[in-house]
Amino acid sequence: MFCGKQRRIVCVWFPRLASDGALRAHPLEGPFALTLRQGNAERLHCLNRAAEAAGLFRGMALAEARVFCAALQTHPADLHREAQLLAALRRWATRYSPWVGLDGEDGLALDITGAAHLFGGEAGLLADLRARLSRAGFSACLGLASSRGAAWALAHHGEGVAPPGADLTAIAGLPVAALRLAPETVTALQRLGLRHVGDLARTPRAPLARRFGAALLDRLDAATGAAPEPVSPGAEPPRFALRLTLPEPIGLAADVQAGTARLLAALCERLAAQEAGARVLRLTLRRVDRDTREVELRLAAALRDPARILPLFSRGIETVDAGFGIDQLRLEAVQVEPLPAEQQGSRTAPGDPARLGDLLSRIGTRIGLENILRLLPADSHVPERGFLTAPAAFSRPARGWTSPRPRPLVLFPPEPVTATGSTPPRSFRWRRMALSTARAEGPERLAPEWWFDDPAWRSGLRDYWRIETRQGRRLWLFHTPQEPGWWVQGEFA
C-alpha cells in the first residue's frame, strides 16, 4: 500500500488514563486517585498530577497514602470502564491514520506511514495530536520512530522522535527497561553492567542468548527495526443502528409506527446475521425544529422478531409530541446479547419461555421491568428468609423449593394473640376475632440463625403449630419458650 515509503509508527502512552477519564466526568481540585483492591488491601491504581506531586505512587497502600496526604480524594477504579475509554480513544485516533491498535492497557499505536503530509508533516501531526488530547483533559506521552519498539521506548522513557533509519541511535541512551523486558531480566542485566540499550546492542549476541534466551534478542531486534512488529487495529464490533430520513414531515402515530416497522425489519436482519438479539432498543425521532424525542424499549429477553417487538413500541410512540412534524427516525439496538438460531415448531407450546418473555415485556413497558418480581429459593430454615425476590426479566426460575413440613401460603410479620401456656390454646383472640382450636399439629422447633442479628428472632427458639379453628381459619402459630407468648405468622389456604 505504501510502496517505497519508510514505515513510521507513533506510540501514545496515557500515564494517567483512568484518573483523567474520571476527572473529565467529575472534576475535582487537589490530590485524587482511583483505588483497586488487591488481596486484602486497597491500593492506589491511578493518580492525578497533584497526588504524584504529594509523593504518592501507583501500587501504594491507601492507608499509607492517607498518612502522607490527608487531603487525598479517592474513588473505586472501574477496569471495564477504563477499557471502554481506551477503545473510544482508539476510534478517535483513526482521524490520523486508519491503522490504529491498542498498545497494552494504557496506550495506542498508530501506523502513520503515508498520512503525515495531511497534517503538514510529522511535527504537525504530533502537535495536533498532543493539543487535542490536552484540550480533552488527557495527559499523553508521544514517541515516533520507524519501529514500534523504538516508538514505545521513546513514549515511555523520554518523549522524542527518531529520524528514519536511526532508531537505535535515538534509544541508545535509554534504560534497558525501554525494551519492554520483564523486571527480573532488567535487574539481571543491570547487575552485569548493561544499563542502557546501547550497552546491550554492543554486547555479543551469543552470550546474551545463552543466558537470557531468544526473547531478549527479539525485543532488541523489534526496537531497532531488524524484526518487524505490525500494528493490529482489531476488528470493530458490529453496530446495530439504522436511520430513515423522510422527504416530508410526519406527525401521526400510525405513520411513525410504519417507519419504525421498516427500520425494525432491516435491523432484525442484521441481528440474525450475527446470531444476536436486542435487549434494549432506542427509537430517536428528530423533529423539523431539530429537537429530538426518544422512545426506549427494554425487553425481558433478547429478541430479533419484528412481529413481536413492533407492538411494544406503540405505547411510547403515542406519547411523543411530534411538534411541527418528524423528518427523521433512527433505531438503535443499544444492548445486544447472543441469540443462537433455534429449531422452531409449527405450534408454540403453552409453556414456551418466549410467551412469558413477551408478557413480561408488555407489562414492563407500563410499570418497568424492575417492578416485575419472581421468588427464588434461599438456603435458610427461617420462614421469612427462605426466599429471595429478583426482577423476573433479569433472572431465571430456580428449582429447590423443598420443605420438610408444610408452609403457609400467606406469610406476614408475627402478630401477637391473647393466649397463655406452652400448648396450643383452646381459645384465643386474633385481629379482634374470637377463635377456638379444633385441631393442632406440632410442634416444629426452629432455632434462630446466630450469624445474623435479626431483631425479630431475639426472643430465641420458636415452636410452630398448625392450628385449624372451628371458624374455618387455618393458622400458623408459634410459641417462644424463653419469653412465653403466642404469635401468628401465617395462614394456610
Side-chain angles (χ1 to χ4, degrees), residues 406-412 428 430-431 433 435-441 465-477 488-493:
R407 291 290 183 260
L409 183 63
V410 180
L411 196 68
F412 43 80
F428 57 93
W430 173 63
R431 293 183 179 178
M433 294 184 293
L435 303 174
S436 57
T437 302
R439 182 182 176 187
E441 295 183 18
W465 294 79
R466 297 190 300 277
I467 304 295
E468 294 185 10
T469 65
R470 300 184 186 278
Q471 290 75 20
R473 297 274 186 172
R474 301 178 67 240
L475 304 177
W476 205 35
L477 276 70
V488 179
Q489 192 177 0
E491 187 170 5
F492 293 88

Side-chain angles (χ1 to χ4, degrees), residues 17-71:
L17 175 65
S19 60
D20 288 345
L23 292 175
R24 272 170 51 88
H26 305 284
L28 293 173
E29 296 293 336
F32 172 78
L34 295 173
T35 62
L36 190 65
R37 175 166 288 276
Q38 298 177 357
N40 295 325
E42 289 282 345
R43 298 189 177 274
L44 303 187
H45 172 66
C46 192
L47 303 80
N48 68 345
R49 291 184 183 273
E52 292 177 350
L56 308 183
F57 55 88
R58 180 174 295 200
M60 190 178 190
L62 178 59
E64 183 181 355
R66 292 197 182 280
V67 174
F68 284 91
C69 182

Side-chain angles (χ1 to χ4, degrees), residues 160-179:
V161 177
D167 288 354
L168 180 57
T169 304
I171 66 174
L174 300 181
V176 291
L179 297 178

Side-chain angles (χ1 to χ4, degrees), residues 256-257 260 280-286 292-298 309-321 326 329-334 365:
V256 177
Q257 189 85 349
T260 305
V280 179
L281 292 163
R282 181 182 297 133
L283 176 64
T284 303
L285 307 175
R286 191 186 71 181
T292 60
R293 294 293 185 269
E294 292 185 351
V295 178
E296 187 172 277
L297 179 62
R298 303 174 64 192
I309 299 175
L310 183 61
L312 303 177
F313 272 111
S314 301
R315 181 178 177 84
I317 292 175
E318 291 173 355
T319 61
V320 171
D321 178 14
I326 295 171
L329 289 78
R330 185 176 186 273
L331 182 63
E332 179 183 7
V334 179
T365 57

Side-chain angles (χ1 to χ4, degrees), residues 248-251 286-291 321-327:
E248 294 291 338
I250 59 176
R286 191 186 71 181
R287 306 192 312 189
V288 294
D289 58 0
R290 292 301 182 263
D291 195 6
D321 178 14
F324 295 102
I326 295 171
D327 61 359

